[in-house]
Amino acid sequence: MVTAIVLLNAARGRVNDVAETLAGLDGVSEVYSVGGRYDLVVIIRVASNEALAELVTERLQALDGIEETETLIAFRAQSRHDLESMFSIGL
Amino acid sequence: MVTAIVLLNAARGRVNDVAETLAGLDGVSEVYSVGGRYDLVVIIRVASNEALAELVTERLQALDGIEETETLIAFRAQSRHDLESMFSIGL
Amino acid sequence: MVTAIVLLNAARGRVNDVAETLAGLDGVSEVYSVGGRYDLVVIIRVASNEALAELVTERLQALDGIEETETLIAFRAQSRHDLESMFSIGL
Amino acid sequence: MVTAIVLLNAARGRVNDVAETLAGLDGVSEVYSVGGRYDLVVIIRVASNEALAELVTERLQALDGIEETETLIAFRAQSRHDLESMFSIGL
Amino acid sequence: MVTAIVLLNAARGRVNDVAETLAGLDGVSEVYSVGGRYDLVVIIRVASNEALAELVTERLQALDGIEETETLIAFRAQSRHDLESMFSIGL
Amino acid sequence: MVTAIVLLNAARGRVNDVAETLAGLDGVSEVYSVGGRYDLVVIIRVASNEALAELVTERLQALDGIEETETLIAFRAQSRHDLESMFSIGL
Amino acid sequence: MVTAIVLLNAARGRVNDVAETLAGLDGVSEVYSVGGRYDLVVIIRVASNEALAELVTERLQALDGIEETETLIAFRAQSRHDLESMFSIGL
Amino acid sequence: MVTAIVLLNAARGRVNDVAETLAGLDGVSEVYSVGGRYDLVVIIRVASNEALAELVTERLQALDGIEETETLIAFRAQSRHDLESMFSIGL
Amino acid sequence: MVTAIVLLNAARGRVNDVAETLAGLDGVSEVYSVGGRYDLVVIIRVASNEALAELVTERLQALDGIEETETLIAFRAQSRHDLESMFSIGL
Amino acid sequence: MVTAIVLLNAARGRVNDVAETLAGLDGVSEVYSVGGRYDLVVIIRVASNEALAELVTERLQALDGIEETETLIAFRAQSRHDLESMFSIGL
């Protein structure tokens, strides 16, 4: 299981429809509208680095209305407690 | 339920013990070591803005070994699918 | 009651009409032309995070003449004195 | 009446006591803990530019626990509605 | 008397004609072509904050060929001596 | 005559005494406390590039309480009119 | 032998075809899709500074779909051991 | 096989000994002194994300003389050709 | 004699022809393609600040294919050895 | 012949003595005090990349009083006219 957090800015006035489209993509686990320098935070959970590459570069970045993305790839889930809760919901 | 994503840099050589301590705090749901400009991404889920304030300013930022934090407060979970999964694990 | 401070840049030559339009939106409490890196500071006071999301992403960011926004969501009003004055004007 | 919005970062672990001290200064109208790149937003309302200079450079910036400040001086309150509400609370 | 220093970038190849136009505006006291990150530094001296707002947002920022402006509003002239010395060297 | 505009940040709580010291240096024409990213704007008028070098690198930057300086050297005063208007308003 | 590492951002939705084209250029040794602020990291190994100039300014930067490049020229390979270990693991 | 490119700044005057130490770490494939904003580029090739986490957070970032690191995790090697060409030139 | 160093970015794919044109301008002494954040470094040696202003704002910045320039004006040549070598080539 | 341009910031109040020391180093051709974001621009002309590595990482960056350096390595001298003048002074 590979987790990545994508920080994303949408074109002006497009935040909500971009968020809705993102939420429908396979591999996208959560989408949040946030305050601060970014418009959206997208949490991705996929099976492999290759699946991450495919989701980010072929589907996510190709969406209309997205202006900038910065992908933070997790190389370790530091928390045991979180791994457990991930099991319990079948992720 | 209030969600926040905290982007965090730790003092050099302290990433892992900071991450472990963070993972043990009430309200901290997930902690990831990530590549890129930040060392850690912390996902917080608490009951209210007041609980978020207390967690971020009194407990998280007071930890030794933390150098910079940027808190992205979610004001909307755009994805229905994610809200459902949050219910199913009793968050 | 949720308060947010929005730092905003307008398109060149559009500061004043953007400011006027913003001042007429429900939930917008104050609009200031300011010196420094930003053109306008907008103070928002609404009933909930959901109302903030609706105001920022659907109405404010959709306005013509706005180029960049950074929304600072307040998670605590540190000052008692300020909470009192907010009561006294019925916010 | 001169209004200024101060964006402020506190030393790690000092946000809350800095905020409390700020809230007690004459001329400080509101203090918010915020998400994003800044720790606190302080709203100042004083009688003149000279009073602003005195408050910012002699009292606010001299406080222990403050690391960086950026003062946005308002040169116009764009909103009529806001001026009215300011009258009504006797500011 | 309110003083402001405006740091300004012009469109490529437009520095000189923008500078000339700026120099002709009421309230603009000095215009310098400068090295470094900015193209021009404009020094404004007007009677009030309201006059500054009018000059910056309605006339200066509306000029064709201007790309970015950052207005530094002076809230105190620290030096009396400097006004005197300007007389004595016949500026 | 060489003109330079120095953008300057002082150590916390030192803005006013730094400004006073600066105002007493030969060649320093004006010193302003400003809002925005910088604490002080210093306007220098000296006879030659060599005098500017001496003032900036040997006296100004050696002052205690100064943290960062950015010197914008004017290579052209675009406006004749401005020197005249300074006479006419008695500056 | 001159080595350079190019940090590169592609136009939205173009990362994969840009990467493929880059991988076909003589002198380009490796191309990686990466997380973080950049889209691609390109490793170049050519015979001389002149060959590097020709590759970067005439062929690489001329490709459609590339938006920004930052070329890090290696002036020393600090490690002998690394060349050896590349043999030993069959890369 | 996981590849990561680490952009790294060393303490002043420490570049060469840091580079030497890095070159001796298991998993570090290449170390280059580079021009530009970074001092060193380190190329890492390890067996898994977990091995990468261990190398970056426990060994690399713990080295004395390292000031800042930014880890770019490759999620796809776009070019097959490149591995081949490395054989053919005898690297 | 006034020296200035211009840091310059060209439009994508235009570095070489911009460099050639720059090299033909009177007052331009050297033009280098460089690695790092900038595309070109231009070294200017002219007779006076006024000649520098004319070269930078009227001829250099007006060239097609130039996107950003930052002019570093030298106010002192610190090195005696360099001044001597400048004499010896009749600059 | 390898040319590099080093952009350098010195510790406060150290610009002149750092510049003098730099001017005495073999391989350093010119040293300028400059306006703008950097304190000094150093022009280096050495025989090879290896000589550049030795000068920058072992001698220049080891000097006391230097805080930050950014080395721009020239990979092409675009100007024929400049190459000629370099010959004529025997560089």
Side-chain angles (χ1 to χ4, degrees), chain A residues 9-32:
Chain A
N9 285 299
R12 202 173 47 74
R14 300 290 303 278
V15 171
N16 289 337
D17 66 284
V18 165
E20 249 172 75
T21 312
L22 287 167
L25 295 178
D26 273 355
V28 168
S29 166
E30 298 153 63
V31 181
Y32 297 102

Side-chain angles (χ1 to χ4, degrees), chain D:
Chain D
M1 177 65 60
V2 176
T3 299
I5 294 94
V6 185
L7 309 173
L8 192 149
N9 285 300
R12 202 173 47 74
R14 301 290 304 278
V15 170
N16 289 337
D17 67 283
V18 165
E20 250 173 74
T21 312
L22 286 168
L25 295 179
D26 274 352
V28 169
S29 165
E30 298 152 64
V31 181
Y32 298 101
S33 290
V34 293
R37 288 187 287 174
Y38 310 100
D39 292 326
L40 295 171
V41 173
V42 181
I43 299 184
I44 290 176
R45 290 193 178 89
V46 289
S48 66
N49 280 351
E50 184 54 34
L52 178 62
E54 192 270 337
L55 173 50
V56 171
T57 66
E58 285 167 37
R59 290 186 290 143
L60 189 149
Q61 292 183 340
L63 289 180
D64 197 44
I66 288 183
E67 297 210 322
E68 269 185 291
T69 65
E70 182 168 345
T71 302
L72 310 176
I73 305 173
F75 46 67
R76 185 183 276 172
Q78 302 279 12
S79 131
R80 219 122 307 265
H81 132 90
D82 132 58
L83 292 177
E84 287 154 25
S85 70
M86 279 163 69
F87 277 119
S88 72
I89 61 165
L91 280 179

